[in-house]
Amino acid sequence: MNLTCFKAYDIRGQLGTELNEDIAYRIARAFARFLKAQRIVLGGDVRATSPELKAALANGLRDEGVDVLDLGLAGTEEVYFATFHLGVDGGIEVTASHNPIDYNGFKLVRQGSRPISADTGLADIRSMAESMSFDLVDGRDPRVDDATRGSYECVDTRPAFVEHLMGYIDIAKFSRPLKLVVNAGNGAAGPALDAIEAAFQAAGVPVTFIKICHEPDGSFPNGIPNPILIENRDMTRNAVLEHKADMGIAWDGDFDRCFLFDEQGRFIEGYYIVGLLAEAFLQKEKGARIIHDPRLTWNTVEQVESNGGVAVQTKAGHAFIKERMREEDAIYGGEMSAHHYFRDFAYCDSGMIPWLLVAELLCAKGKPLSALVDERIAAFPSSGEINLTVSDAPAVLAAIERAYSENAEDVDHTDGVSIRFAQWRFNLRASNTEPVIRLNVESRGNAGLMKEKTEELLAHIKSL
């Protein structure tokens, strides 16, 4: 059987046709054999099919003799945390994040919450799962004796998870009241936010949460939680304005990404959040290394260097960012796509740590978020990522490089092609999974030049 649900970095598929309980069972057995695992953590998001897929995974793991620790309803980063906190051999989160409601999937990590992608084991797990066949009875392999079957236990690591999160901030700096709109999108973030709220209250921190779309609901009555889409931002923006909040935060379904809104209800592009988080960490650890990707760079590099840090560029994508962070012992790595990675979180991405640090920064600087961000947008205006469907991505990238490289100050191939001039630069890269190229343009303090060059590039690409 050809398992098309295996992607470059995770497992995702349409329910029934690409992913079901039988496939989940086989993936679990292959995962256990690949890791030679003894203990595995399981968690699942709020989707209606997550419990049954998680049960199938648990059966497959246990039939391989693996002890299963079930976190229940949990975000992806809670699986990451439990995996390294409990010292187990790996973890699986059942989630389709922001994909359509008829999809689900799995995110897999090994010991220490290290990622498993196509070239570090996912392809091997796929091959093993494709070659397996079982005649299951009530979801179990009847050939496996109860004496050799792994155990099953429900565990609660959320108190330890929240305690870990609170270690990233200095609550003494929360010296003024903050009002935050938190939009869980009816996903898995709600219970974790309740636990963080309780921790704030216990510590006497004057933070008030305005909760919207808070209750976990797998039918997603307010739409699939994907705040990166413009049409999904109104509810958070309107709540910020209505309640005169200091900041709005919205999450995707498994809350490994958060998206921020300033006190004016304006959505803040992830590029500028990377710079803010770099500054926040460098105030705590001077001289630290910060990892960033090549799509948009100037603002990040300036904020890192002006705060006494070292900026290190690497290819976009969680596997590349995490690997380079380990090599450099970097304290933080950020992507403009709202994925933020933290050394003390086993180099994993988190959707909770970023907003905690930004909230602390608001208090420490005594400025609204709009003021902090406006300074950076004015200094380095950017186009945001523009996606274009093309028939031959390599040919388009080559043609654009030929057209622009002759008079450039620098041409870089870390990820796609980045071409730099004195006052503006751009990055053009191909998608790994679809016939799409992604364009990002920025300038030094000249929004008109940025827009002009963006339009020029788009016209050139469309003419090819």
Side-chain angles (χ1 to χ4, degrees):
M1 174 185 279
N2 181 28
L3 296 179
T4 57
C5 56
F6 278 79
K7 311 301 180 186
Y9 300 118
D10 58 16
I11 295 166
R12 270 175 292 120
Q14 192 167 27
L15 294 162
T17 57
E18 294 182 297
L19 188 61
N20 56 36
E21 292 170 63
D22 175 68
I23 292 170
Y25 178 91
R26 285 190 283 142
I27 289 171
R29 293 199 68 159
F31 181 61
R33 290 182 191 180
F34 175 76
L35 291 182
K36 299 179 174 62
Q38 294 180 319
R39 293 196 303 160
I40 296 290
V41 163
L42 286 184
D45 72 8
V46 73
R47 288 173 185 254
T49 55
S50 291
E52 60 198 47
L53 289 172
K54 185 148 66 76
L57 290 171
N59 276 330
L61 292 168
R62 294 179 69 195
D63 283 351
E64 282 292 325
V66 175
D67 295 336
V68 172
L69 305 177
D70 189 349
L71 302 178
L73 175 64
T76 295
E77 68 191 76
E78 290 187 281
V79 168
Y80 294 159
F81 174 78
T83 300
F84 71 77
H85 177 70
L86 298 174
V88 300
D89 300 304
I92 306 176
E93 166 78 355
V94 180
T95 181
S97 187
H98 56 276
N99 287 100
I101 201 163
D102 59 337
Y103 278 69
N104 215 326
F106 312 134
K107 293 182 179 179
L108 280 57
V109 290
R110 66 177 77 219
Q111 188 176 44
S113 296
R114 287 177 175 261
I116 299 177
S117 52
D119 56 353
T120 58
L122 206 55
D124 298 317
I125 294 168
R126 174 180 181 169
S127 296
M128 291 167 67
E130 286 177 340
S131 67
M132 291 175 171
S133 178
F134 300 99
D135 294 318
L136 303 181
V137 177
D138 295 328
R140 293 179 49 179
D141 185 346
R143 298 170 299 174
V144 176
D145 188 89
D146 282 346
T148 60
R149 202 165 186 254
S151 64
Y152 174 85
E153 180 185 358
C154 292
V155 297
D156 182 10
T157 56
R158 187 163 290 144
F161 169 65
V162 171
E163 182 180 358
H164 180 89
L165 293 180
M166 300 302 281
Y168 289 89
I169 56 174
D170 180 359
I171 60 173
K173 291 184 177 177
F174 286 77
S175 54
R176 68 178 180 90
L178 275 184
K179 187 184 292 184
L180 306 176
V181 166
V182 293
N183 182 353
N186 300 113
L193 287 169
D194 291 340
I196 293 170
E197 180 183 44
F200 275 143
Q201 290 172 347
V205 178
V207 174
T208 301
F209 285 174
I210 307 297
K211 301 173 183 178
I212 59 175
C213 308
H214 189 71
E215 294 303 318
D217 186 338
S219 70
F220 297 121
N222 296 290
I224 300 292
N226 186 13
I228 207 164
L229 299 178
I230 294 173
E231 60 267 27
N232 290 350
R233 299 174 187 171
D234 284 354
M235 195 172 291
T236 308
R237 180 180 69 241
N238 293 342
V240 167
L241 296 173
E242 178 187 347
H243 294 279
K244 297 181 172 56
D246 296 286
M247 182 168 66
I249 310 125
W251 289 266
D252 60 4
D254 61 334
F255 74 82
D256 64 345
R257 292 185 300 163
C258 68
F259 302 84
L260 304 186
F261 297 73
D262 68 15
E263 80 287 353
Q264 299 170 8
R266 179 180 54 169
F267 180 85
I268 307 301
E269 291 291 343
Y271 174 37
Y272 302 103
I273 301 301
V274 173
L276 283 180
L277 293 178
E279 179 181 348
F281 273 111
L282 289 166
Q283 289 183 358
K284 300 172 187 287
E285 187 177 317
K286 289 292 183 188
R289 292 176 177 267
I290 306 291
I291 307 297
H292 65 91
D293 69 66
R295 287 174 284 186
L296 294 168
T297 65
W298 278 346
N299 178 66
T300 302
V301 171
E302 181 173 284
Q303 282 197 273
V304 169
E305 293 180 348
S306 65
N307 284 280
V310 179
V312 179
Q313 178 173 283
T314 194
K315 190 173 182 177
H318 81 100
F320 302 107
I321 298 275
K322 292 172 181 177
E323 181 181 6
R324 192 62 183 274
M325 285 181 72
R326 283 187 163 91
E327 290 173 1
E328 302 283 346
D329 190 32
I331 194 170
Y332 163 67
E335 295 185 272
M336 56 174 288
S337 56
H339 284 289
H340 303 281
Y341 308 86
F342 305 92
R343 181 183 64 199
D344 296 338
F345 200 63
Y347 301 96
C348 293
D349 39 336
S350 165
M352 290 298 175
I353 298 169
W355 69 265
L356 287 166
L357 287 165
V358 173
E360 180 188 45
L361 203 61
L362 294 181
C363 294
K365 285 184 166 286
K367 292 182 178 181
L369 183 54
S370 62
L372 299 181
V373 173
D374 283 345
E375 295 170 4
R376 309 315 308 171
I377 294 174
F380 299 103
S382 63
S383 63
E385 190 155 86
I386 300 167
N387 296 319
L388 300 157
T389 301
V390 295
S391 57
D392 188 344
V396 173
L397 264 66
I400 293 296
E401 181 173 348
R402 285 194 300 271
Y404 283 88
S405 60
E406 184 176 347
N407 298 316
E409 290 187 347
D410 182 67
V411 178
D412 179 84
H413 296 100
T414 300
D415 196 350
V417 59
S418 299
I419 300 184
R420 189 186 78 222
F421 301 88
Q423 296 301 315
W424 72 286
R425 67 176 293 279
F426 72 91
N427 171 267
L428 188 65
R429 56 195 284 270
S431 166
N432 292 323
T433 58
E434 50 190 338
V436 166
I437 56 173
R438 310 189 195 282
L439 173 67
N440 285 278
V441 185
E442 63 183 325
S443 72
R444 296 189 185 276
N446 189 333
L449 177 64
M450 180 274 294
K451 292 175 183 174
E452 173 194 329
K453 292 301 182 182
T454 301
E455 291 169 3
E456 177 184 296
L457 278 159
L458 290 173
H460 196 142
I461 290 167
K462 290 172 183 175
S463 72
L464 296 172

